């Protein structure tokens, strides 16, 4: 049985849970991180030296980094079906996973933390303004890509859609006035119809 360590309200844990759902894989999950703690204890650090969630164990194999976990699960149990079959297609989809870590995350995490995880009197309006501008620019890139293809990696749903897809739910449910992005909106609507997205991503934001 695949084991996952990580709290369900972590965006990086959610990616892996959504992926497991798409691949219809059974797993056992343990609450770690955030209010549950445990991620800085030696036993956990021995598995994941970052002290972050998620961590996965499959037999004797332990893996951390949410995007790497998804790639592993897809390759090992999905016969690669959650990535395109050509090297070009796979690279295009993979690129959006890397982009989420390097561009989307740094722009949108401060927005989410300020508006959802910070008491109103402690919020930083300047940080909110800057994060809103930066994340709007990032979503504009997604919108442009989705004007050319129905999914980020091309014609089919892939794990390339998952990292940004997790944040799309948060973006559309933040108490802000979102700029209008037609293609982003249509893609998000499509994701919202997928049962694993409903189960693991469309949950109260905490
Ligand atoms: N690049 C890592 C980042 C992992 C990460 O930052 N996890 C956050 C939650 S989203 C975490 O563990 N925070 C500390 C905590 O939950 O206590 C990944 O994608 O797995």
């Amino acid at each position: 049985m695949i084991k996952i360590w990580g709290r369900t309200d972590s965006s990086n844990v959610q990616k892996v849970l959504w992926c497991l759902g798409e691949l219809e894989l059974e797993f056992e999950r343990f609450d770690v991180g955030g209010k549950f703690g445990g991620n800085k204890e030696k036993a956990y650090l021995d598995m994941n030296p970052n002290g972050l969630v998620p961590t996965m164990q499959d037999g004797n194999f332990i893996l951390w980094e949410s995007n790497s976990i998804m790639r592993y699960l897809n390759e090992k149990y999905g016969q690669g079906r959650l990535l395109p079959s050509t090297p070009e297609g796979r690279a295009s989809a993979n690129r959006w996973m890397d982009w989420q870590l390097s561009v989307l995350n740094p722009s949108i995490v401060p927005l989410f933390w300020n508006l959802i995880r910070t008491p109103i009197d402690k919020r930083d309006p300047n940080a909110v303004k800057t994060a809103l501008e930066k994340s709007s620019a990032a979503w504009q890139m997604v919108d442009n890509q989705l004007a050319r293809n129905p999914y980020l990696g091309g014609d089919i749903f892939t794990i390339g859609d998952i990292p940004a897809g997790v944040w799309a739910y948060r973006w559309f449910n933040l108490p802000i006035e979102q700029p209008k992005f037609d293609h982003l909106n249509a893609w998000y609507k499509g994701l919202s119809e997928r049962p694993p997205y409903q189960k693991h991503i469309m949950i109260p934001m905490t």
Side-chain angles (χ1 to χ4, degrees):
M1 176 76 86
I2 293 168
K3 293 182 178 162
I4 303 291
W5 284 265
R7 56 189 168 87
T8 55
D9 62 350
S10 141
S11 59
N12 290 302
V13 174
Q14 288 180 350
K15 291 182 201 171
V16 171
L17 301 183
W18 178 7
C19 179
L20 285 159
E22 293 287 345
L23 294 169
E24 297 178 72
L25 296 173
E26 295 202 359
F27 62 94
E28 198 177 352
R29 191 189 58 78
F30 308 98
D31 275 323
V32 174
K35 68 178 181 193
F36 301 100
N39 46 319
K40 302 295 176 196
E41 287 173 14
K42 187 181 178 308
Y44 190 84
L45 291 171
D46 285 346
M47 290 197 297
N48 182 339
N50 289 312
L52 298 171
V53 292
T55 299
M56 182 212 70
Q57 183 174 16
D58 184 18
N60 293 326
F61 180 55
I62 292 174
L63 188 62
W64 38 267
E65 281 299 328
S66 54
N67 290 352
S68 300
I69 296 171
M70 290 196 286
R71 291 181 179 115
Y72 167 80
L73 293 172
N74 179 50
E75 201 170 325
K76 176 134 189 187
Y77 296 107
Q79 289 76 44
R81 72 182 149 93
L82 290 185
L83 279 176
S85 55
T86 63
E88 291 80 5
R90 281 197 296 281
S92 295
N94 270 309
R95 172 249 322 261
W96 288 101
M97 300 173 77
D98 297 334
W99 176 86
Q100 178 265 330
L101 287 179
S102 60
V103 176
L104 181 62
N105 239 34
S107 70
I108 203 166
V109 167
L111 193 59
F112 181 81
W113 268 84
N114 256 286
L115 297 178
I116 303 295
R117 294 190 177 156
T118 306
I120 290 182
D121 59 319
K122 299 225 160 50
R123 289 180 192 166
D124 176 348
N126 288 330
V128 169
K129 186 172 174 289
T130 304
L132 182 55
E133 283 164 8
K134 287 189 176 169
S135 40
S136 299
W139 288 121
Q140 178 71 67
M141 290 174 65
V142 174
D143 193 62
N144 293 345
Q145 174 73 359
L146 294 170
R148 293 189 282 271
N149 307 290
Y151 294 98
L152 286 175
D155 290 337
I156 59 161
F157 172 83
T158 70
I159 51 174
D161 292 291
I162 291 184
V166 167
W167 280 101
Y169 171 73
R170 295 174 173 216
W171 167 254
F172 282 108
N173 288 282
L174 283 174
I176 49 166
E177 201 151 317
Q178 294 87 354
K180 201 167 169 294
F181 294 124
D182 289 343
H183 307 287
L184 175 68
N185 204 45
W187 171 75
Y188 168 61
K189 219 165 153 269
L191 298 182
S192 309
E193 283 157 19
R194 304 181 81 87
Y197 193 78
Q198 292 166 356
K199 181 169 180 190
H200 298 295
I201 312 305
M202 300 174 75
I203 61 173
M205 298 195 296
T206 51

